[in-house]
Amino acid sequence: MLISANNIDRKSWINVPENSDFPIQNIPFGVFITKDDVITIGTRIGDCAIDMGALQQLNYFEGIDLTDDIFMQDTLNDFISDGKKTWRLVRNRLAELFDETNAKLRDNKIHRDRIIYELEHIEMQLPVLIGDYTDFYSSKEHATNLGKIFNLPENVIPINWCHMPVGYHGRSSSIIPSGIAIHRPMGQTLPEDEIPPVFGPSRMVDFELETAFITTDVNVRGENIPVNEAEDYIFGMVLLNDWSARDIQKWESWPLGPFLAKNFASSISPWIVTMDALEPFRTKGPNQNPAPLPYLQSKGKNNFDIHLEVAIQPEKGEATIVSKSNFKHIYWSMSQQLAHHTSNGCRVNSGDMMGSGTISGPTPDSYGSMLELTWGGKKPIKLLDGSERKFINDGDIVTIKGFCKNNGVRIGFGEVSTKLLPPFVRK
Amino acid sequence: MLISANNIDRKSWINVPENSDFPIQNIPFGVFITKDDVITIGTRIGDCAIDMGALQQLNYFEGIDLTDDIFMQDTLNDFISDGKKTWRLVRNRLAELFDETNAKLRDNKIHRDRIIYELEHIEMQLPVLIGDYTDFYSSKEHATNLGKIFNLPENVIPINWCHMPVGYHGRSSSIIPSGIAIHRPMGQTLPEDEIPPVFGPSRMVDFELETAFITTDVNVRGENIPVNEAEDYIFGMVLLNDWSARDIQKWESWPLGPFLAKNFASSISPWIVTMDALEPFRTKGPNQNPAPLPYLQSKGKNNFDIHLEVAIQPEKGEATIVSKSNFKHIYWSMSQQLAHHTSNGCRVNSGDMMGSGTISGPTPDSYGSMLELTWGGKKPIKLLDGSERKFINDGDIVTIKGFCKNNGVRIGFGEVSTKLLPPFVRK
């Protein structure tokens, strides 16, 4: 399938720095507030944010069937509801508009000044109103590591794990965009694995290296989506740091799963990279043995080759990369996750978000959480400033980055970066 | 505390049938569509629905600080955000307006015709946009029964259960109002507890007898709400049938909790009964031993004496009451649930919903699910038409009712009634 916006030879009249995640082949979508306090939907090329609401007012989307204010909104939900054909038309139009050979906008200074913002003059918002947030648990390496660290029964990986993309519901209100600091959560824990429990600040705050996908309106209640159609309902992907308090998690999670250990915060990168932009980076996923049941058997390449890394920056020090992983390691694909999620008729709407689960690779330097990197806190990590970490310290900034690269084109997500503050003090 | 609307001697000029759940002392809030296709916020007295949007347009809320269109909306979220003081002023005003001694509206036929609808001429909607839905697991009897039926370790009840209101996140998109039929879900199960699993219609569809409370804006991210202030943030309560597919649940739930076994549907009664209306029915909860940690220690009576019952009506037969229970049996109070939920700083917003968990009483006829009533399907229940049930059959209508009664006043919830249809067939 040829998508005009993906043309690798295209260059933009907006300067794109070397190794930028946002060449004209990316064209992600996001929501931002301008310096004039206007909220708008936009895209990004290089280090410029582009006001799509203003573009629409100036008629640059003429000929595409869009409601008058589709980009003058504070979430992408309505645009996402318009469906894949419309997303593609809009993305292709943006590629044409900013193509270096297209003089229409390039040579109109008045329009350019109204449309283009430098990044430091805008503030990124959550791109969608997330109605429901699901987190899967789809990395075999992560599930295996947790089984070993927590000494779980059932041959380390739960038996059901090999037959379905195990997942659980998270909390929508916990999702925040990159750049928002969070507080170390308080909670009940069992410090020495002995009753009684105590209440106090978590001593084991951790990141989880994940990606997430955003859906359009998927189904009516009761309807399932076949696995080979599922990708048509995925708008795009973001990076996700699913913050976790391991000591709270260990004590609360039996029998109903993680709850307060997770719902204090989950951070996402603010630009949604479309599935169209990721199309050139398809790759085969891991072999699935045992064979999935028919409703989970998919054709073709359903994984994506996305390089991922996590860095920890202490309050007064430089950042240390503590993990390098890749989305291609994920065992259950997004298509399988969405097919499974709707297999019981569960309703999935525009703006819903589904996390991959922690993406751990096969080697110890590719694990996607401190729990695994330090093997339950037994092997502390040394940072570049000489300090050690078992988990995340107050004042640390955790940053996840991700990008794809081939044929000289780099399509990236930017970053999700979050500072951990000491516990909240109630006034 | 004296709340004018609770005056037990007050009578309305609207006829209230004997044993109605909706005397003038109730004044619940809901959202409905009129026969003219107008959506509005309203209340109910007897068998009349009252259009509060029209009341506002006709100036009947004069003197109360409300935005112009607060009741001309399709959800109660904004009104709930206005806070407890405003809810109380509005509820008291409605009680005065419909008091039999108040001629203002009573004797104005033109206004009456614009404001009052018979129930058969309106259609109830979901009363709130539910941002996040949490389900607790707070009945000790239910947790004990499940432990025995599933033969769980840890002295039947999980150790953590006695120290915290265990809960998990459900799916907002699954919540539907009373009267909407649902389909038997498909899913992965392990029919004979042996690998491999199969995919097909659930054979163990069950109800769960619950109540739920709706919150206002509770906190900023990071902030906790002390247990003795928690009730100020609760707008009111509804009945909840948390539909469950037990065979799917058993296979999928380890280690991350229930997921597709629950998110195909949860039904609620459409009228939110306020905490002010429930105030006269406070009662003490069960003794808590071991003593809760200080952040969960609350003062006063925090439970409510709400009679609950569940009936099953076969497709061509009369309804049989299969369970009678009471909300007062619940071990962890709503105050404790909300204090625990925010103890880690989790953000809770206007319109969020929190379920009690299945409310089972101490005797076998008071259990709140078929799983318990038939002890895992081993002891089928006989219905009045002579048929037997282990779980819910296609065509059955399950109805939950609930009410409080003392001093001659009955405050009720009406009902939540849902028909189970055969599996969905994709067109």
Side-chain angles (χ1 to χ4, degrees), chain A residues 163 173 188 260 263 347, chain B residues 163 173 188 260 263 344 347:
Chain A
H163 295 275
S173 75
Q188 262 197 47
L260 301 186
N263 64 19
R347 190 150 174 200
Chain B
H163 295 276
S173 76
Q188 262 197 48
L260 302 186
N263 64 20
N344 70 340
R347 189 150 173 199

Side-chain angles (χ1 to χ4, degrees), chain A residues 304-323:
Chain A
F304 293 84
D305 182 9
I306 306 173
H307 303 276
L308 299 163
E309 62 174 52
V310 188
I312 298 174
Q313 182 179 9
E315 188 128 43
K316 292 170 187 166
E318 62 183 317
T320 305
I321 294 172
V322 297
S323 174

Side-chain angles (χ1 to χ4, degrees), chain B residues 133-138 166-168 210-213 240 327 330 337 353-358:
Chain B
Y133 160 46
T134 295
D135 199 22
F136 286 96
Y137 184 61
S138 289
V166 169
Y168 69 105
E210 301 196 22
T211 60
F213 64 90
L240 167 65
F327 180 68
I330 215 82
Q337 290 170 343
M353 187 172 106
M354 301 188 187
S356 57
T358 305

Side-chain angles (χ1 to χ4, degrees), chain B residues 14 32 41-45 48-52 55 98 115-116:
Chain B
I14 292 182
F32 59 84
I41 286 169
T43 187
R44 174 175 173 178
I45 295 177
C48 293
I50 291 153
D51 179 342
M52 290 171 60
L55 273 178
F98 292 92
I115 283 163
I116 300 174

Side-chain angles (χ1 to χ4, degrees), chain B residues 29-30 32 82 95 143 186-187 241 265 271 361 379 382:
Chain B
F29 294 100
F32 59 84
D82 284 345
M186 307 285 285
N241 181 351
W271 294 104
K379 301 177 189 168
K382 202 158 208 165

Side-chain angles (χ1 to χ4, degrees), chain B residues 59-73:
Chain B
N59 259 328
Y60 283 100
F61 294 114
E62 209 183 352
I64 303 176
D65 190 17
L66 297 165
T67 50
D68 286 346
D69 63 347
I70 193 75
F71 298 124
M72 288 164 248
Q73 302 204 14

